[in-house]
Amino acid sequence: MSKFQFFCMPNTDRKKFTYLKMDSDSFMVEKKQLLKIGFEVEDDVIFADNADEAIDKFNSNYVYALQEYADSSVGGGLGTFIIESYKDIIRRFKS
């Protein structure tokens, strides 16, 4: 099973996306290039046997359901709040 990381252009409703296979030798170089041209990391890592399965999982937005479940508890919600606050602060400093 491989790990895939997906990237989306902001404000495109997940329609403009690409992905990278995380065990690729060029993963970090390619990730930096995508972030430099405006893509943002979307969701968590997706585990799949192949790229087609990873895309299907990404399109099903199954990570959203998992996030909602985690946020339903106090600890999970607090964790999400801290992570999202950190991301927002970093975005503001980059602007």
Side-chain angles (χ1 to χ4, degrees), residues 73-85:
S73 69
V74 174
L78 179 61
T80 298
F81 173 75
I82 291 169
I83 291 168
E84 292 303 318
S85 296

Side-chain angles (χ1 to χ4, degrees), residues 15-91:
K15 302 252 187 291
K16 291 185 180 181
F17 72 89
T18 190
Y19 64 89
L20 296 174
K21 196 170 177 182
M22 295 180 74
D23 60 358
S24 165
D25 292 335
S26 58
F27 171 74
M28 288 306 294
V29 172
E30 292 173 342
K31 179 178 179 175
K32 287 178 185 176
Q33 290 171 346
L34 288 173
L35 296 174
K36 188 173 184 177
I37 61 172
F39 279 88
E40 295 180 351
V41 174
E42 187 75 17
D43 298 333
D44 203 355
V45 172
I46 292 178
F47 291 89
D49 289 325
N50 55 55
D52 290 335
E53 182 183 338
I55 292 169
D56 287 344
K57 287 182 177 183
F58 176 77
N59 285 332
S60 74
N61 205 3
Y62 87 109
V63 175
Y64 175 77
L66 294 174
Q67 185 66 47
E68 287 294 304
Y69 177 75
D71 289 346
S72 68
S73 69
V74 174
L78 179 61
T80 298
F81 173 75
I82 291 169
I83 291 168
E84 292 303 318
S85 296
Y86 174 77
K87 286 180 184 178
D88 188 51
I89 290 167
I90 295 300
R91 260 187 239 121

